[in-house]
Amino acid sequence: MTRSLPPAITGWFASRGWSIHPHQHAMLDRAHAPCQLLIAPTGGGKTMAGFLPTLADLADGTHKGLHTLYVSPLKALAADIKRNLTGPITEMGLPIRVEDRTGDTSSHTKRRQRADPPHILLTTPESLALMVSYEDAHRTFAGLQRIIVDEIHALAESKRGDQLMLALSRLSALAPGLRRVGLSATVEDPAAIARILARHPDPCEILEADPGPDPDIAMLTTEAPPPWSGGGGKYAIPAVLEQVKRHRTTLIFHNTRAQAELFFHHLWLANEDQLPIGIHHGALAREQREKVEQAMVDGRLRAIVCTGSLDLGIDWGDVDLVIQVGAPKNVKRLVQRIGRANHRYNAPSKALIVPANRFEVIECTAALEAVRARQLDGDTDHTGPLDVLCQHILIRAAAGPFLADDLFAEIRTAGAYATLPRDSFDRCLDFAATGGYALRAYDQWQRLVQRPDGQWQLRDPRATTRIRMNIGTIVDADKMQVRYQKTRGGAPLGEVEEYFASMLRKGDTFLIGGQIVRYEGMREMVVEVSRTPYLKPKIATFMGTKFATSTQLSDRILHMFRAKDWPDLPIHTREWLHLQRRVSRLPERDRLLVESFPHDGREHVVAYGFAGRNAQQTLGLLLSQRMEMMGLNPMGFVATDYATLIWGLDPLDDPRPLFTRDNLVETMEAWLADNAVMKRTFKASAIIAGLIDRNQPGGKRKTGRQATFSTDILYDTLRKYDPGHVMLDITRAEAMRGLVDFGRIEAMLDRIGDRIDHVRLTRVTPLAAPLFLEPGRVPIAGSADQRLLEEEAQRLMTAAGLAEIAT
Amino acid sequence: MNALPFDFRGETLHLLPSGALHWPAPRTLCVADLHLGKSERMARLGGPMLPPYETEETLTRLTQDIALTDPATVICLGDSFDDMAAAQGLETTMTDRLASLMAGRSWVWVLGNHDPGPVNLGGSCRAEYRADPLVFRHIAEPGAMGEISGHYHPKARISLRGRSLSRRCAVVDATRVILPAYGAYTGGLFCDRPELERLVSSDADMLVLGPSPIRLPLASSSIRPARRSSST
């Protein structure tokens, strides 16, 4: 039975000669279900399917206040949906008010929206969490009927998603009967997403739309071979430009912002026909991004160089080609990116993959095979992290007093927290209230206090400001704005990491927003630059998110290596693999290849574990810990999806002790105690949980900086004086499943057993070469530090003629 | 002990790995910027509730240095407490520990900007402390001679074979010594910051803390942001 739609809506469809898709009908029919999940490919009319029941409900104009909340992971998506929804609503003549609310919305508008909300409000997880933190949240959300979570696949396994679902648990309590709708791109395991979306233990109906025709996808063939190493894909620029000319609009995806910047720069230099081409990524200033988005909507651009910031379903209209530069790392994301082309149902998407270097030729070939086999990567089970829970408790406290039992019951309705033990909840509540220390230090200054009636409330109501300023689960490195000098108040060009800025010297040049700029100086935490069109840039090191290559892709690659020859690979890559086999050997699935060689005054060890970036990173920590104990003076390492490169002062003779399972757990514990990855994880969790503030009331940071100290000190202090503290448990759990990925290490060690092949060489091998250009090097704070420092002191003092006073 | 000896105004001083300054001749030990009670103060002001162990950690370090050097005089060079209320609010276990450190020694609390008034913990309180040829005060004064001060929490940033290392340090030239912060919860100010750099001459050295403190020319802190041309 199809639910009858109001004539205004059916008439509008008919006047366009459109019919309603079967899955849109299905969503309408089942609109009263407590929870629905729609899986549809990009361009499948997902958004309309989500909103049709709302439009039908609101058509008679009787509903007062907020009816439907729409949440998307991207601000841009909220703005885009507003545009795409307001048009049809106006044309249908429906009495519906639609507004968006994101970090970019003015505070005046935000205040008004809380008092007088529109019928449909479009927002992001962070803005929603903020709204939930207000004392008047129960009024704002009273009468809320539906919540639509768009692109839920992008949120499902992230802390942003966890925070969103905790906010939803609050909304379901404020507005009983609230129905949930999730819209997702194609995923391997829809049930896993349904579990996270539904109010536990409500059922969730899963609707899968027709996946549409197979994509038309191939590797871009170029005259010049890809370089031996590097990630930019610069070599392919003539071929990419040729493709841009042949299509109406091309999206050119990159895996990192730095690569997008570089590629865009070189594309412009080669763009002799002056084709209109733009760039879009998350580190660009909002004004810059909006300009590009508008130009795209107006159809004024032939191509956009972009990153994950355009991954999700923004409707850019007439895209007829998607180019992916660099290996896609996981098949799901590749499929979703491909879906950006021909954003229309039932038309095949056209896509080209450009391997950035020769190793990526292999990765891309494996990914193409997987796409053709329609084999996506599986999801892992997700349990809600406790740092996000701690933040949620503070958000709840900001909204008003609460009973612990009520909040615990509410939190357990979020799928990811359905099995949360009471003990864990109590520890988080204690942490939020008192800091949770073994030493009861803050009895007088507790953040939350329990009233005589048993309800918890903030001791100092002014703390709400601090809590609200620190909402959010994305923890970035400290960023600094970049502006042109002498344009006080002028448009910012974008942001760079503070660490990157601190390394700049006057006269250094770097790329931002597709332009080369010259560093002039720093003024009140703003990086000032000037224009310099003709210099060669120093690469910006800011990076986009990195993903680990999926197990499936790694296995496919190792399988390919077993072949005697690779007639399907381009000749250059084929020769490269043969060369590697000649000078060293190729990695195999049930063996471990270890190479060692001197290079540039240091000793190097490479272990080809193919365990994915995070696990290879952990391997770097484990191995360097063991090398430190063996007296090899390791100095640092860098990891990619397939290998770990460690450098140090002394050569490796026998790699077997490095990979023994003996003492593995003890070694883990030893490095858990003191290493950069744990400290980085601790910092992120400490910020999310509210142990330290990301932002402080009163605006600007002190320029003096003596006042701030490193979170490493807090981590070390806790380990020494309060080793059972909940923040250390959270850090350990986060690290094990996130950056540590210990499961994949163990799987690899099991796989290889004692089959380790050590090849000692006199120089860098073909397969190792790309590792030297990887960013994200992790230094090791070991004995090499002191030795180098002493050498440096001696050198400098000798140079200054002061050797006699140095110790 | 891996102390770093250096000559200053005709006296031999030792910088200890912890950042304390030992002057053996008059058996004097000097520590700057202890910031005791910092976590309590932050919680009191509605800020984050940091692990409340920094006072214990700082006093443990001080106990070790006192055991090593057995000083007759201990000078706490200002900002010994994170604020006056923090000085009053120390746990009894901590004031007891402090009392046992102070017993039998001359103890001088030099006033700082965080703790500008006297404390009721014994010892003497001074705006500055003179012991010829040296003068001890919290904030360096322009034109001073033989001055030992703290306040700035100097930190060194050194580039070594492509890696950047950041450590606390003292800054020394012919006329003054600026000591690193001794307290557990203290951040730092890089030596190339104008606030700090304009206080010392261009041939100043950094005494970089570590298992064995090391002397480096200040000019070798090789990563330095360009300074504003307007500020000179």
Side-chain angles (χ1 to χ4, degrees):
Chain A
M1 273 301 291
T2 295
R3 191 167 160 235
S4 62
L5 277 171
I9 298 177
T10 47
W12 182 82
F13 271 92
S15 70
R16 270 163 184 69
W18 294 353
S19 59
I20 298 175
H21 287 312
H23 60 268
Q24 291 173 334
H25 266 301
M27 292 288 282
L28 263 172
D29 292 345
R30 306 288 306 135
H32 288 286
C35 186
Q36 292 175 293
L37 174 63
L38 173 64
I39 311 275
T42 318
K46 267 204 302 271
T47 315
M48 193 42 103
F51 276 109
L52 265 182
T54 295
L55 300 188
D57 274 6
L58 290 171
D60 65 4
T62 55
H63 185 89
K64 295 276 169 283
L66 193 56
H67 178 282
T68 295
L69 198 59
Y70 164 93
V71 185
S72 89
L74 285 184
K75 284 189 275 196
L77 199 48
D80 187 55
I81 297 290
K82 185 182 164 189
R83 216 167 25 231
N84 293 346
L85 210 50
T86 309
I89 285 175
T90 312
E91 289 157 17
M92 292 173 193
L94 296 178
I96 301 176
R97 208 168 103 215
V98 183
E99 290 176 16
D100 62 343
R101 178 196 176 97
T102 66
D104 297 343
T105 308
S106 76
S107 56
H108 169 77
T109 307
K110 283 181 182 167
R111 257 197 312 280
R112 203 223 342 109
Q113 283 172 341
R114 273 164 46 211
D116 174 27
H119 298 111
I120 299 176
L121 186 66
L122 315 166
T123 189
T124 60
E126 288 73 24
S127 285
L128 178 62
L130 185 60
M131 289 181 82
V132 163
S133 81
Y134 284 104
E135 296 84 346
D136 57 4
H138 61 281
R139 272 199 301 278
T140 311
F141 295 108
L144 181 66
Q145 299 293 310
R146 306 181 71 229
I147 176 150
I148 301 171
V149 183
D150 201 358
E151 308 281 359
I152 188 172
H153 60 278
L155 290 168
E157 278 178 66
S158 74
K159 292 192 176 182
R160 298 183 74 205
D162 296 323
Q163 175 157 65
L164 173 62
M165 293 310 153
L166 287 171
L168 256 59
S169 74
R170 184 79 201 117
L171 290 184
S172 287
L174 293 175
L178 176 65
R179 288 159 286 155
R180 304 181 180 192
V181 174
L183 309 176
S184 170
T186 318
V187 289
E188 178 85 337
D189 185 6
I193 291 184
R195 247 192 324 275
I196 287 169
L197 173 67
R199 178 181 188 278
H200 185 78
D202 286 356
C204 178
E205 301 184 4
I206 300 171
L207 253 155
E208 291 192 64
D210 176 358
D214 277 343
D216 165 10
I217 175 173
M219 193 143 54
L220 180 69
T221 46
T222 53
E223 249 167 65
W228 290 110
S229 57
K234 183 184 157 193
Y235 78 97
I237 279 178
V240 167
L241 264 181
E242 196 47 48
Q243 293 294 332
V244 171
K245 279 181 211 161
R246 281 196 225 151
H247 292 82
R248 283 190 309 276
T249 311
T250 305
L251 289 185
I252 306 169
F253 278 103
H254 288 260
N255 287 336
T256 72
R257 291 167 187 173
Q259 285 168 0
E261 285 281 355
L262 264 182
F263 191 86
F264 180 63
H265 175 69
H266 291 297
L267 199 59
W268 257 113
L269 294 182
N271 184 8
E272 285 162 2
D273 299 346
Q274 304 279 314
L275 296 173
I277 297 174
I279 180 165
H280 189 286
H281 64 67
L284 291 179
R286 172 155 60 99
E287 295 84 342
Q288 299 272 102
R289 288 201 309 261
E290 283 175 351
K291 244 167 61 187
V292 172
E293 286 163 17
Q294 195 53 50
M296 187 73 185
V297 169
D298 297 347
R300 285 185 277 124
L301 291 179
R302 293 291 298 278
I304 295 191
V305 177
C306 56
T307 63
S309 65
L310 284 193
D311 254 349
L312 304 170
I314 302 171
D315 192 355
W316 295 123
D318 235 3
V319 174
D320 55 348
L321 176 66
V322 166
I323 296 180
Q324 160 74 34
V325 181
K329 301 298 170 199
N330 108 22
V331 181
K332 219 167 18 181
R333 192 168 48 253
L334 177 63
V335 167
Q336 285 153 15
R337 282 186 174 171
I338 294 169
R340 309 296 295 121
N342 266 339
H343 208 161
R344 267 169 315 174
Y345 207 42
N346 287 336
S349 311
K350 188 170 172 192
L352 290 167
I353 314 187
V354 181
N357 57 52
R358 288 187 211 197
F359 190 82
E360 290 195 351
V361 172
I362 301 158
E363 279 188 75
C364 290
T365 308
L368 283 177
E369 279 176 13
V371 171
R372 292 192 187 114
R374 290 199 173 216
Q375 203 175 357
L376 303 185
D377 320 277
D379 293 302
T380 46
D381 263 347
H382 181 72
T383 51
L386 297 185
D387 49 0
V388 180
L389 179 63
C390 291
Q391 188 180 114
H392 182 72
I393 293 173
L394 290 175
I395 289 171
R396 177 63 192 86
F402 63 90
L403 284 169
D405 289 351
D406 293 350
L407 182 56
F408 178 62
E410 208 171 283
I411 284 167
R412 298 241 301 186
T413 66
Y417 293 91
T419 57
L420 177 76
R422 178 66 192 230
D423 169 58
S424 301
F425 170 79
D426 286 339
R427 285 180 84 196
C428 289
L429 178 58
D430 183 40
F431 169 78
T434 70
Y437 300 107
L439 175 69
R440 309 304 300 187
Y442 298 128
D443 289 350
Q444 226 181 323
W445 314 121
Q446 282 185 210
R447 187 152 43 183
L448 306 182
V449 292
Q450 208 166 9
R451 308 193 307 195
D453 66 358
Q455 298 208 73
W456 289 91
Q457 70 174 26
L458 289 167
R459 171 178 62 85
D460 181 348
R462 288 171 301 181
T464 50
T465 314
R466 201 178 275 269
I467 291 169
R468 288 186 188 127
M469 287 186 74
N470 287 286
I471 284 177
T473 57
I474 304 175
V475 179
D476 284 333
D478 288 336
K479 297 277 179 59
M480 295 179 77
Q481 270 200 351
V482 180
R483 281 175 191 272
Y484 280 126
Q485 203 179 24
K486 296 184 189 110
T487 51
R488 200 180 279 273
L493 289 162
E495 290 174 327
V496 294
E497 284 182 13
E498 197 175 322
Y499 171 73
F500 175 73
S502 76
M503 300 206 326
L504 292 170
R505 290 184 224 213
K506 189 166 176 161
D508 278 348
T509 55
F510 61 99
L511 266 168
I512 187 159
Q515 308 182 45
I516 300 182
V517 294
R518 180 176 191 270
Y519 175 71
E520 296 296 342
M522 233 176 264
R523 186 207 298 260
E524 289 161 8
M525 303 309 287
V526 171
V527 174
E528 295 194 323
V529 297
S530 59
R531 289 172 211 268
T532 51
Y534 303 114
L535 296 171
K536 200 177 170 215
K538 172 174 176 174
I539 301 173
T541 58
F542 50 86
M543 289 180 276
T545 326
K546 284 215 181 132
F547 306 91
T549 292
S550 64
T551 311
Q552 196 219 140
L553 272 184
S554 297
D555 281 352
R556 278 180 183 270
I557 292 166
L558 286 170
H559 185 78
M560 280 173 67
F561 280 167
R562 286 166 54 188
K564 284 254 176 303
D565 191 14
W566 305 272
D568 294 341
L569 286 179
I571 182 73
H572 43 69
T573 305
R574 229 169 120 186
E575 283 172 356
W576 176 52
L577 291 185
H578 281 301
L579 183 66
Q580 169 71 19
R581 194 173 261 168
R582 212 154 50 235
V583 302
S584 174
R585 51 197 298 171
L586 280 171
E588 293 172 60
R589 192 174 179 278
D590 49 3
R591 307 184 73 85
L592 180 70
L593 172 62
V594 177
E595 293 175 340
S596 68
F597 47 82
H599 178 72
D600 204 14
R602 294 176 194 165
E603 279 298 328
H604 292 79
V605 176
V606 188
Y608 298 91
F610 281 82
R613 183 177 296 273
N614 293 334
Q616 290 291 146
Q617 178 107 353
T618 302
L619 196 62
L621 288 161
L622 279 170
L623 297 185
S624 53
Q625 172 85 15
R626 287 181 167 173
M627 287 168 75
E628 179 85 30
M629 289 190 297
M630 288 160 70
L632 299 181
N633 289 304
M635 291 171 62
F637 66 88
V638 67
T640 67
D641 286 299
Y642 59 97
T644 302
L645 168 72
I646 307 173
W647 55 92
L649 300 179
D650 298 292
L652 173 74
D653 289 327
D654 180 8
R656 271 168 310 189
L658 291 180
F659 296 94
T660 160
R661 289 294 291 259
D662 301 346
N663 301 322
L664 188 66
V665 176
E666 289 82 348
T667 314
M668 281 281 291
E669 286 295 321
W671 71 251
L672 275 176
D674 184 45
N675 75 67
V677 167
M678 283 301 284
K679 286 174 177 172
R680 209 185 304 161
T681 306
F682 174 79
K683 181 177 183 182
S685 283
I687 288 174
I688 292 170
L691 175 64
I692 48 173
D693 289 342
R694 165 179 12 210
N695 300 306
Q696 286 175 21
K700 277 190 181 162
R701 283 189 279 185
K702 271 186 155 183
T703 46
R705 306 313 292 275
Q706 300 104 299
T708 59
F709 58 95
S710 143
T711 51
D712 295 2
I713 294 174
L714 297 181
Y715 176 76
D716 291 338
T717 307
L718 274 180
R719 279 194 52 83
K720 185 165 171 187
Y721 291 99
D722 209 338
H725 192 261
V726 64
M727 275 313 301
L728 293 180
D729 289 350
I730 291 176
T731 305
R732 215 169 286 129
E734 284 296 303
M736 285 302 237
R737 75 169 170 192
L739 290 169
V740 173
D741 211 356
F742 195 58
R744 265 179 101 171
I745 296 265
E746 286 195 302
M748 180 203 65
L749 291 179
D750 284 344
R751 208 173 63 217
I752 61 169
D754 57 359
R755 292 174 293 279
I756 298 173
D757 305 309
H758 182 205
V759 185
R760 175 74 196 171
L761 301 122
T762 53
R763 48 183 293 199
V764 181
T765 62
L767 216 47
L771 298 167
F772 285 82
L773 292 138
E774 275 293 313
R777 299 177 153 228
V778 179
I780 296 159
S783 44
D785 261 355
Q786 192 65 20
R787 195 165 118 192
L788 286 175
L789 194 55
E790 281 159 20
E791 283 172 19
E792 179 73 359
Q794 196 56 44
R795 190 184 67 74
L796 285 165
M797 285 300 170
T798 308
L802 295 169
E804 67 281 0
I805 67 163
T807 48
Chain B
M1 184 180 51
N2 297 319
L4 173 64
F6 61 102
D7 291 331
F8 182 67
R9 312 304 300 171
E11 299 293 320
T12 300
L13 306 178
H14 294 250
L15 186 68
L16 308 191
S18 62
L21 184 74
H22 183 217
W23 185 10
R27 292 179 58 215
T28 296
L29 186 73
C30 176
V31 288
D33 298 278
L34 302 179
H35 288 271
L36 301 176
K38 179 163 188 154
S39 58
E40 187 265 351
R41 171 174 172 245
M42 293 187 77
R44 173 164 22 98
L45 299 181
M49 291 179 292
L50 301 179
Y53 306 106
E54 86 289 2
T55 300
E56 183 176 357
E57 171 66 18
T58 305
L59 291 182
T60 301
R61 292 179 195 176
L62 191 53
T63 307
Q64 285 163 359
D65 283 343
I66 285 177
L68 278 170
T69 56
D70 188 26
T73 305
V74 174
I75 304 166
C76 296
L77 206 48
D79 288 1
S80 307
F81 305 95
D82 213 43
D83 66 2
M84 296 312 293
Q88 309 302 325
L90 287 189
E91 302 273 330
T92 331
T93 47
M94 292 301 119
T95 49
D96 288 351
R97 274 188 78 170
L98 203 47
S100 71
L101 287 177
M102 294 169 77
R105 304 177 208 285
S106 154
W107 197 280
V108 182
W109 301 107
V110 172
L111 304 184
N113 50 313
H114 280 256
D115 51 355
V119 290
N120 58 355
L121 295 164
S124 58
C125 283
R126 309 272 183 86
E128 58 184 49
Y129 176 83
R130 282 180 185 279
D132 280 341
L134 305 184
V135 56
F136 295 81
R137 63 171 67 97
H138 182 57
I139 303 180
E141 286 180 2
M145 274 295 196
E147 176 192 77
I148 313 286
S149 66
H151 180 64
Y152 289 100
H153 303 197
K155 213 163 58 163
R157 183 156 49 195
I158 309 138
S159 177
L160 296 168
R161 287 206 216 172
R163 96 153 45 154
S164 174
L165 197 66
S166 153
R167 286 193 181 173
R168 291 182 296 145
C169 69
V171 181
V172 183
D173 69 8
T175 62
R176 70 174 89 243
V177 178
I178 302 175
L179 290 179
Y182 192 84
Y185 288 179
T186 49
L189 190 65
F190 284 116
C191 290
D192 50 23
R193 292 287 301 229
E195 300 87 315
L196 198 46
E197 207 179 36
R198 66 175 164 243
L199 282 169
V200 292
S201 60
S202 56
D203 62 351
D205 286 335
M206 304 182 289
L207 313 183
V208 182
L209 299 188
S212 306
I214 280 165
R215 183 168 191 149
L216 291 172
L218 182 62
S220 72
S221 91
S222 36
I223 300 166
R224 42 176 31 190
R227 256 160 292 144
R228 279 173 265 162
S229 49
S230 57
S231 67
T232 42

